[in-house]
Amino acid sequence: EEAERKEVQVPSALWHAVVESVYQCALHDTTDFWKEETFKRVFRPLANQLPNTKGAGAEQALYIERVRKCLAPALSQLAAAAGNDALWKMLNQEVMLKSRSDVPAVRVASLLVLQAFYERLGEEFLILLPETIPYLAELLEDDNGLVERATQETVKVIESHLGESLQSYLR
């Protein structure tokens, strides 16, 4: 059993270190490293970590916490470092596609990343709101209560930057 536990911890620690290094690199970029070419090489594999629930076992709370503390900050900082709404659009689309996962925790995780985009980029990210609304409308109708609550929280975060209610757009 201990060998099994170590097996889970090592990949999890490695995963965390890799994602954290992308975050730190994007945070401290002063050389425009994350412009189009590099961004395009990294954003999709990083976003594809959203459905990666390995290392969290059956514990969805561990997975969601890992996304909240590590993956969402890395993706939002990557967007900030890119500073380009055309690149944000590709990243947002990739994340929003994950919101259609069959796994409720992955749908919640995609919303955590969307919240992180708005928390990091603020009003600038509103340019992508029109293409995000259909996903939010779907998620508000989700059968899973956790997903529905996470969607409501995400809508509140977006509304705080928009300065008005989204309810009329989500029907």
Side-chain angles (χ1 to χ4, degrees):
E1 190 178 306
E2 191 171 317
E4 213 174 276
R5 224 179 294 139
K6 280 184 182 176
E7 228 177 83
V8 170
Q9 290 172 348
V10 171
S12 184
L14 179 60
W15 180 92
H16 187 275
V18 169
V19 175
E20 179 67 18
S21 67
V22 171
Y23 169 77
Q24 290 295 331
C25 186
L27 180 64
H28 299 290
D29 178 24
T30 57
T31 62
D32 290 339
F33 179 75
W34 290 108
K35 292 307 170 201
E36 192 167 353
E37 184 183 343
T38 310
F39 180 91
K40 283 183 173 179
R41 288 183 179 175
V42 173
F43 88 93
R44 193 166 281 118
L46 195 59
N48 283 338
Q49 292 307 301
L50 273 167
N52 177 4
T53 58
K54 288 186 172 89
E59 188 61 48
Q60 88 174 8
L62 286 176
Y63 162 74
I64 289 173
E65 197 57 23
R66 184 176 72 190
V67 170
R68 182 188 316 277
K69 288 189 172 177
C70 192
L71 188 57
L75 285 165
S76 63
Q77 190 59 49
L78 182 65
N84 174 324
D85 57 16
L87 299 177
W88 295 349
K89 181 176 180 158
M90 291 187 295
L91 179 57
N92 187 57
Q93 179 68 21
E94 200 66 34
V95 170
M96 291 291 82
L97 287 173
K98 307 297 185 256
S99 75
R100 293 186 169 153
S101 169
D102 291 338
V103 180
V106 174
R107 296 195 300 273
V108 169
S110 69
L111 290 163
L112 292 175
V113 173
L114 184 61
Q115 287 177 28
F117 288 155
Y118 278 96
E119 288 162 0
R120 180 68 186 87
L121 299 165
E123 290 180 16
E124 291 181 72
F125 207 72
L126 288 172
I127 194 166
L128 298 175
L129 184 58
E131 67 188 45
T132 305
I133 293 247
Y135 294 98
L136 293 172
E138 280 177 32
L139 291 164
L140 279 171
E141 302 293 322
D142 202 280
D143 294 335
N144 184 289
L146 191 61
V147 174
E148 193 177 342
R149 281 190 299 282
T151 307
Q152 290 166 351
E153 289 172 27
T154 303
V155 167
K156 284 180 189 170
V157 169
I158 295 169
E159 287 173 342
S160 74
H161 294 286
L162 186 61
E164 65 179 89
S165 173
L166 283 176
Q167 293 312 310
S168 62
Y169 300 106
L170 295 171
R171 293 181 184 158

